Amino acid sequence: MAPLSHHSLLVFLLQLTVLLALAVGLGRLVARIGLPSVVGELLAGVLVGPSLLGSAAPDLAGWLLPAEPDQMHLLDAVGQIGVILLVGLTGLEMDMRMVRRRGATAARISIAGLLLPVGLGVGAGLLVPDSLVADGADRSTFALFLGVAMGVSAIPVAAKILLDMRMLHRNVGQLILASATVDDAVGWSLLSVVSAMATTGVRGGDIAWPVLSVLGVIVFALVLGRPLARLAVALGGLAHQPTGETGDAGARAAAKPVAPEDGAGSPRASEAGPAPTAGGASAAGPAPTVGAVGAAGLVETGRRAVPASGSPSGVAVVVLFVFAAAAGTHALRLEAILGAFVAGILLGSTPTIDLRRLEPLRLVVVGVLAPIFFASAGLRIDLTALAEAEVAIAGIIILALAIFGKFAGAYIGARISRLGHWEALSLGAGLNARGVIEIVVAGTGLRLGVLSTAMYTVIVLVAIVTSIMTPPILRATMRRVEQTAEEQLRELDLADRRSFAPGGV
């Protein structure tokens, strides 16, 4: 096999340089005005894609982003590594204790909040004009993809919004995160099933295989995945180390260090979960047992500082574990990101794991690989398609259906669970943020040839719009919900919890 040519390597390195520079710069810029950094990272791809550079300087765009599949596959490979590790980190930060504790209520809200938008999405997919369906794509599979994209929620966006608004301790905030966790798990499973249908067809036997495969993955994770995760933590040296302070719960549950440029305690500052501030308190309330992370990389555990250094072998073991799980699900003709997500949950649920030791991995994924993935996703957004009346009208209708379906579904589930009117509306607002999850779904559909470029653009814009609109609506509805004594106590105890989500939007 011939080695990579000098020209191909040069173009590849320049692609990475341009995309990463624009993604980081624009990500910081939009974060300054209160938007998720992923908006800027997607915009980086839009700027050098067909929407701007491709129209203004087609020769330069054609040289930097040649149409040859082999050249673009290099960039896609880096993006796929980034999204697999990003999804793995998402699973790693899941608080499954909260899901189990509020399982029944969260399940009702999540199921209702999934069924209605998914149903509306499927219906819309069956009715949209043929021009919006990719050439050769099966109409029913296209409709299911659109339904999945409209039904998902994004934990990272919800967690960051709740953190910024100091609502993580509220009952509604807890339920938003618990329901979003269920949404994520179901969403990845549905995506794997629909993706398998896109590659194998929609025959009964072919549909049964991905469903059975998903069930098999769950059983394997419960039976063998847990001991394998504990073994990985032990082999990687990722277990908690004694701090010398017996009985100090805060030392054992110390906060994770923050990325120097983000300063918010999660892998992705602009979309992160709860984090300690410089004064040792969570932004959501007092945090007596969790201290701050200094510039020197020390974590204050309440009585003394302990190093927050990473573990090189631990990082390698975690990456190996996530890649192996991703390869396993992909071998079953499921999406690789499902395996990464399950692997992250298994590792994060191991009681002895010290997530501070994975900070080097988190910084590389969030600071380098994830921005490249989102920028490369932005390359495929063609805003010029919205100039066509047919596409613009379809986009407005799909956006309206996505917002209404999530609001109404979550509202119905909350009312069935005997929550109040304003609490139900708050849940609908919090779960409406699609973010990175919908972007990944859209990218998968485009890669498999199910979504056209125009429909991909519409779905990504839905993800961005719903993520931006959530904070003001949530702020307005939560003003009508009184804080209880239980919530005040939880605010004091919030610092003892893990962050709920890593990066993403």
Side-chain angles (χ1 to χ4, degrees):
M1 183 174 60
L4 189 65
S5 69
H6 177 274
H7 178 74
S8 295
L9 179 59
L10 174 63
V11 172
F12 174 59
L13 293 175
L14 288 175
Q15 287 174 339
L16 293 179
T17 301
V18 171
L19 289 179
L20 183 58
L22 287 174
V24 172
L26 292 175
R28 289 183 175 183
L29 180 63
V30 299
R32 288 181 178 274
I33 59 176
L35 296 178
S37 62
V38 72
V39 174
E41 291 163 3
L42 285 167
L43 182 60
V46 173
L47 291 179
V48 297
S51 300
L52 186 62
L53 185 64
S55 299
D59 292 338
L60 176 60
W63 185 88
L64 182 63
L65 300 167
E68 290 85 355
D70 290 343
Q71 185 69 58
M72 293 306 296
H73 286 167
L74 292 173
L75 190 60
D76 288 339
V78 176
Q80 287 301 309
I81 291 174
V83 73
I84 286 172
L85 291 176
L86 181 62
V87 171
L89 288 177
T90 303
L92 195 71
E93 299 287 349
M94 291 291 186
D95 190 347
M96 300 308 293
R97 294 176 300 172
M98 182 182 65
V99 176
R100 289 191 292 268
R101 186 169 57 250
R102 295 181 170 273
T105 301
R108 284 191 290 267
I109 296 171
S110 179
I111 291 173
L114 275 171
L115 289 179
L116 187 55
V118 167
L120 291 174
V122 171
L126 294 174
L127 297 175
V128 297
D130 292 336
S131 59
L132 295 177
V133 183
D135 294 337
D138 179 78
R139 169 70 75 157
S140 60
T141 304
F142 166 82
L144 288 171
F145 247 104
L146 184 57
V148 173
M150 289 175 58
V152 296
S153 298
I155 289 180
V157 172
K160 179 58 169 63
I161 291 171
L162 293 170
L163 172 65
D164 289 344
M165 300 176 68
R166 301 190 178 187
M167 292 181 184
L168 281 169
H169 64 286
R170 302 295 299 271
N171 290 333
V172 169
Q174 298 280 300
L175 283 173
I176 287 174
L177 292 177
S179 301
T181 301
V182 177
D183 275 8
D184 265 12
V186 175
W188 293 131
S189 301
L190 287 176
L191 177 60
S192 293
V193 172
V194 178
S195 298
M197 292 171 57
T199 56
T200 63
V202 292
R203 299 183 298 271
D206 292 327
I207 296 176
W209 170 252
V211 174
L212 294 175
S213 297
V214 169
L215 294 177
V217 169
I218 295 173
V219 172
F220 181 88
L222 294 175
V223 176
L224 295 177
R226 288 175 175 175
L228 287 175
R230 289 193 292 268
L231 178 62
V233 170
L235 290 176
L238 297 172
H240 285 285
Q241 298 298 320
T243 61
E245 302 290 346
T246 58
D248 187 355
R252 187 169 178 79
K256 295 187 295 296
V258 300
E261 67 170 348
D262 293 329
S266 111
R268 205 172 181 81
S270 62
E271 297 84 29
T277 63
S282 167
T289 61
V290 179
V293 179
L298 297 179
V299 177
E300 192 73 28
T301 62
R303 297 189 181 182
R304 69 172 190 166
V306 297
S309 60
S311 168
S313 61
V315 169
V317 168
V318 168
V319 172
L320 175 65
F321 194 82
V322 171
F323 279 176
T329 54
H330 200 62
L332 294 173
R333 297 181 182 178
L334 302 175
E335 275 301 300
I337 49 181
L338 174 64
F341 185 68
V342 172
I345 290 178
L346 291 172
L347 290 170
S349 300
T350 303
T352 58
I353 192 170
D354 185 354
L355 297 182
R356 292 173 297 166
R357 296 180 176 274
L358 294 177
E359 190 63 15
L361 173 63
R362 185 176 292 108
L363 293 176
V364 171
V365 172
V366 173
V368 179
L369 296 177
I372 290 175
F373 164 73
F374 290 119
S376 62
L379 288 174
R380 294 169 171 83
I381 298 177
D382 187 3
L383 296 179
T384 60
L386 297 177
E388 300 179 18
E390 191 174 61
V391 178
I393 293 173
I396 294 172
I397 294 174
I398 289 172
L399 175 62
L401 290 176
I403 295 172
F404 170 77
K406 204 65 172 179
F407 255 114
Y411 183 88
I412 293 171
R415 297 296 280 171
I416 292 175
S417 301
R418 299 181 179 179
L419 296 178
H421 170 70
W422 291 107
E423 290 174 308
L425 287 179
S426 299
L427 283 162
L431 292 173
N432 236 302
R434 268 70 171 191
V436 64
I437 312 301
E438 187 166 35
I439 294 170
V440 172
V441 172
T444 302
L446 185 65
R447 175 171 56 83
L448 294 177
V450 177
L451 300 180
S452 64
T453 301
M455 186 53 64
Y456 171 82
T457 300
V458 167
I459 293 176
V460 172
L461 289 178
V462 169
I464 294 174
V465 171
T466 54
S467 298
I468 293 174
M469 60 170 273
T470 294
I473 298 177
L474 188 60
R475 185 177 294 111
T477 55
M478 285 300 292
R479 286 174 181 168
R480 307 294 187 96
V481 181
E482 294 185 4
Q483 181 165 297
T484 65
E486 177 190 9
E487 291 173 337
Q488 293 173 349
L489 292 175
R490 187 183 299 125
E491 184 176 15
L492 296 175
D493 190 53
L494 182 63
D496 291 333
R497 299 173 185 261
R498 282 189 316 207
S499 292
F500 291 112
V505 65

